[in-house]
Amino acid sequence: MKKIVFVFICTLLVSASYAQDGGHQKIENAKIGLITNRLNLTPEQSQQFWPVYNEFDDRKKEIRKQMRKLIVETNTLTTPDEKILANLKETLNLQQKEVDLEREYMTKFLKVVNVRQLAELYKAEQMFTQMLIQRLNRKQQ
């Protein structure tokens, strides 16, 4: 029941974030709340976990930003075939970078949290992404 209430609160925060300035920060705050709740971090773990997670998240966002840029370039009708092929290869390289990053940070996370908490982190991130997608889909309808 506690988790259902928390998910409901996160959904409300996400909903409110679209209606107000600073929406991106509110989404990030909701994500932090969900992860904190799901991992049940001790104060000591929390103090060590968040700097590592924030660094990981920033690096992952940068890789994904580069991928989005390549996708936009590739989807232009005037893009030459050679450029499309080069972009596709670079996208694969970026995907590999993301996998390598995940592997690197798995080791770092396991120095702070246990394996069950790490598995819960991955589930919480997926859950949060699904909540955002559902919210966007409802908003578009």
Side-chain angles (χ1 to χ4, degrees), residues 36-111:
T36 299
N37 182 268
R38 295 293 303 255
L39 269 61
N40 198 23
L41 297 171
T42 66
E44 296 81 22
Q45 284 178 314
S46 187
Q47 193 173 32
Q48 294 175 357
F49 174 80
W50 287 109
V52 175
Y53 182 82
N54 290 336
E55 182 180 302
F56 165 73
D57 197 45
D58 289 346
R59 289 178 63 187
K60 188 164 72 168
K61 285 177 184 174
E62 183 56 38
I63 291 170
R64 290 191 175 172
K65 180 180 174 183
Q66 292 172 13
M67 280 195 269
R68 283 190 304 274
K69 181 181 175 200
L70 289 171
I71 290 168
V72 168
E73 288 176 5
T74 302
N75 287 337
T76 305
L77 292 175
T78 58
T79 305
D81 288 353
E82 301 81 28
K83 179 67 174 165
I84 292 172
L85 182 59
N87 286 356
L88 291 172
K89 287 179 180 179
E90 182 59 24
T91 299
L92 287 175
N93 289 336
L94 289 168
Q95 288 173 341
Q96 184 61 52
K97 273 185 168 179
E98 189 171 5
V99 169
D100 293 343
L101 182 71
E102 295 273 352
R103 189 170 283 121
E104 173 188 345
Y105 276 84
M106 178 190 294
T107 304
K108 290 181 179 186
F109 287 135
L110 287 172
K111 291 178 182 177

Side-chain angles (χ1 to χ4, degrees), residues 13 17 20-32:
L13 286 173
S17 71
Q20 300 175 4
D21 291 342
H24 181 72
Q25 186 59 47
K26 289 185 180 188
I27 291 171
E28 287 298 314
N29 290 343
K31 181 179 176 183
I32 289 168

